[in-house]
């Protein structure tokens, strides 16, 4: 047991299910103490490492008789001590920020409500909340009045669902030979999607990116003409608004124009960048996103909504039905347009909308804008501090960057990555080491609100001094 955790003797028995007739003090004690553990875990974040130094194994199987609340809390504590700590100010490796406080509470309430977005009769208010908030997102991003969306448990699923809807627009005989076009820097979930869709091996065409990591519209034009000449249908063009390694944004306006000319579906994978469209000052980074036919956006990334939180938005919401509606013979008719279980691939699903809604309510317009801008500022600060003569800094316009020494090649460069990453972790900075083009690089994501200017200065110094001149 960790010394800082406040495990008081519990005064009440914990029943497996709370009484439906009277206030349950056992549940109250248990929730209080579990949240105390969590609050302490969060409070101790910066004193520890982003990654646990040791990880003890909890008992896996249930015991012969059930554990009491004291045992359960100590089980929880054990798992918490072995967890990744996104609230550490040096946790900069991935798109996994600290959890927004309102969304922690909403997640708890969501579990307590245990509603089911499958069907309206199992989640009357929450189904409506999802419809309305998705619509708010759609309009805010500039989609037309017919727009709306649905939540999915992660961007991979949103991308897959977007592509499935896109494919259904093709004549039936064309669907299995269809091709999806994206850039070489697009997310791996597109490869997973085209595989799951049963497309042929060349069903995903990845076009080379320019020096800034963006898809050149001229190459897209050429690729679409090539497909037309070969008699291959195009299912969709995927523009990435925020690539996973360097945060580059494909030219959305130009790509939308090409797609319109060729009458091809434009899906924007804005899992990373889409949130920037929510605030006035950062919205220009997402110029043209409203021209898309479908959009993936992950509030679980920069906004800190607890996982999973992803949206699929469509310019024509009614298309979801065509692809996913089966009728739900064991359910009452939906009051709204469709049941939650007929708007996507998932059947039973939790009310993930609750933590998104409450999180946005907590931030407000000004908080959203401040959070987005601060992430960009942190990236800019490191960009300014890194020695431009010694490093190639790969970065688009968003809050992430990748870096490697300009005069190291091949194995030397990879060795630098590995050694520097280890040194940085010892100093409390967790970066990642993606493979990109000719080899590995170090990647940092500046979505952590606890990373101060001092941290950034120290990080930059450590990187600068990692190469000998
Ligand atoms: C993270 C990411 C995804 C996938 O989202 P998951 O929630 O991890 O499934 C898709 N596209 C891009 C560009 C991403 O960065």
């Amino acid at each position: 047991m960790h010394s800082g955790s406040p495990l008081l003797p519990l005064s009440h028995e914990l029943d497996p299910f709370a009484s439906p007739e009277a206030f349950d003090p056992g549940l109250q004690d248990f929730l209080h103490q579990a949240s105390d553990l969590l609050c302490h875990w969060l409070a101790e974040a910066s004193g520890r490492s982003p990654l646990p130094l040791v990880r003890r194994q909890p008992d896996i199987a249930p015991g012969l008789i059930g554990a009491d609340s004291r045992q359960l809390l100590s089980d929880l504590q054990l798992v918490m001590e072995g967890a990744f700590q996104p609230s550490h100010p040096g946790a900069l490796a991935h798109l996994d920020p600290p959890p927004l406080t309102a969304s922690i509470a909403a997640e708890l309430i969501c579990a307590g409500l245990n509603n089911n977005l499958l069907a309206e009769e199992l989640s009357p208010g929450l189904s409506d909340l999802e419809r309305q908030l998705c619509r708010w997102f759609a309009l805010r991003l500039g989609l037309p009045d017919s727009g709306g969306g649905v939540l999915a448990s992660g961007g991979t699923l949103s991308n897959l669902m977007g592509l499935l809807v896109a494919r259904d627009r093709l004549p039936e005989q064309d669907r299995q030979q269809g091709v999806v076009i994206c850039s070489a820097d697009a997310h791996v979930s597109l490869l997973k999607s085209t595989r799951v869709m049963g497309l042929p091996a060349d069903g995903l065409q990845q076009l080379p990116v320019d020096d800034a990591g963006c898809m050149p519209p001229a190459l897209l034009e050429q690729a679409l003409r090539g497909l037309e000449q070969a008699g291959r249908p195009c299912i969709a063009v995927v523009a990435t608004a925020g690539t996973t390694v360097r945060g580059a944004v494909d030219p959305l306006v130009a790509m939308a124009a090409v797609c319109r000319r060729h009458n091809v579906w434009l899906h924007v994978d804005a899992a990373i960048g889409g949130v920037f469209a929510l605030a006035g000052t950062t919205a220009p980074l997402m110029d043209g996103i409203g021209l898309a036919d479908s959009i993936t956006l992950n509030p679980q990334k920069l906004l800190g909504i607890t996982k999973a939180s992803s949206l699929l938005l469509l310019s024509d919401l009614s298309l979801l039905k065509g692809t996913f509606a089966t009728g739900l013979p064991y359910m009452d008719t939906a009051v709204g347009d469709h049941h939650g279980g007929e708007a996507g691939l998932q059947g039973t699903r939790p009310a993930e909308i609750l933590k998104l809604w409450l999180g946005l309510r907590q931030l407000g317009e000004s908080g959203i804008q401040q959070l987005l801008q601060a992430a960009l500022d942190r990236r800019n600060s490191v960009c300014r501090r890194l020695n431009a003569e010694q490093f190639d800094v790969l970065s688009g316009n968003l809050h992430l960057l990748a870096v490697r020494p300009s005069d190291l090649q091949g194995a030397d460069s990879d060795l630098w990555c590995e050694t520097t990453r280890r040194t940085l972790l010892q100093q409390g900075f967790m970066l990642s080491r993606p493979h990109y083009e000719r080899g590995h690089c170090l990647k940092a994501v500046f979505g952590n609100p606890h990373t101060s200017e001092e941290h950034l200065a120290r990080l930059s110094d450590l990187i600068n001094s990692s190469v000998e001149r």
Side-chain angles (χ1 to χ4, degrees), residues 139-408:
L139 297 180
R140 182 56 80 94
L141 265 62
L143 292 175
D145 207 47
S146 51
V150 65
L151 261 64
S153 288
T156 299
L157 207 44
S158 297
N159 277 342
L160 172 60
M161 294 183 340
L163 293 180
L164 288 168
V165 174
R167 178 166 69 175
D168 279 353
R169 271 200 350 153
L170 297 179
E172 194 139 2
Q173 70 276 8
D174 281 351
R175 292 181 193 165
Q176 283 318 106
Q177 283 309 305
V179 172
V180 173
I181 297 180
C182 64
S183 87
D185 285 6
H187 192 260
V188 289
S189 56
L190 298 173
L191 179 58
K192 194 186 272 182
S193 298
T194 53
R195 275 194 204 152
V196 170
M197 290 165 77
L199 299 183
D202 65 354
L204 185 67
Q205 286 192 10
Q206 300 198 260
L207 307 180
V209 294
D210 62 18
D211 290 344
C214 303
M215 182 192 291
L219 285 191
L220 175 60
E221 177 77 47
Q222 204 180 321
L224 286 171
R225 271 205 222 113
L227 287 180
E228 281 159 14
Q229 279 158 14
R232 291 287 294 277
C234 181
I235 293 173
V237 166
V238 180
T240 306
T243 56
T244 310
V245 174
R246 57 196 284 190
V249 181
D250 283 340
L252 304 179
V253 174
M255 286 175 70
V258 175
C259 287
R260 201 144 291 178
R261 218 160 32 242
H262 290 264
N263 190 27
V264 166
W265 185 280
L266 176 65
H267 176 75
V268 179
D269 181 358
I272 297 176
V275 290
F276 287 97
L278 298 180
T281 52
T282 56
L285 292 168
M286 291 294 119
D287 244 2
I289 195 167
L291 302 170
D293 297 290
S294 55
I295 301 169
T296 290
L297 186 156
N298 274 17
Q300 73 193 14
K301 287 185 169 168
L302 184 49
L303 288 183
I305 307 298
T306 54
K307 296 174 188 66
S309 185
S310 177
L311 299 100
L312 172 66
L313 302 171
L314 291 133
S315 66
D316 180 356
L317 180 66
S318 69
L319 294 178
L320 278 181
K321 243 191 195 165
T323 300
F324 300 111
T326 52
L328 283 177
Y330 28 82
M331 295 293 173
D332 259 348
T333 321
V335 180
D337 187 44
H338 51 254
H339 282 302
E342 296 191 277
L345 276 170
Q346 291 171 274
T348 289
R349 56 190 174 89
E352 287 168 342
I353 194 66
L354 197 61
K355 60 200 176 186
L356 173 57
W357 167 71
L358 205 70
L360 294 173
R361 298 275 304 155
Q362 180 184 23
L363 289 172
E365 298 273 359
S366 64
I368 295 170
Q369 175 152 318
Q370 192 274 334
L371 186 149
L372 298 170
Q373 191 56 52
L376 296 175
D377 292 347
R378 285 189 288 272
R379 185 210 69 132
N380 291 342
S381 164
V382 170
C383 271
R384 259 196 324 272
R385 291 168 190 275
L386 288 178
N387 187 336
E389 280 164 25
Q390 290 182 312
F391 293 99
D392 292 339
V393 179
L394 307 166
S395 186
N397 293 324
L398 305 189
H399 63 297
L400 46 164
L401 62 79
V403 59
R404 60 186 154 206
S406 18
D407 54 5
L408 292 184

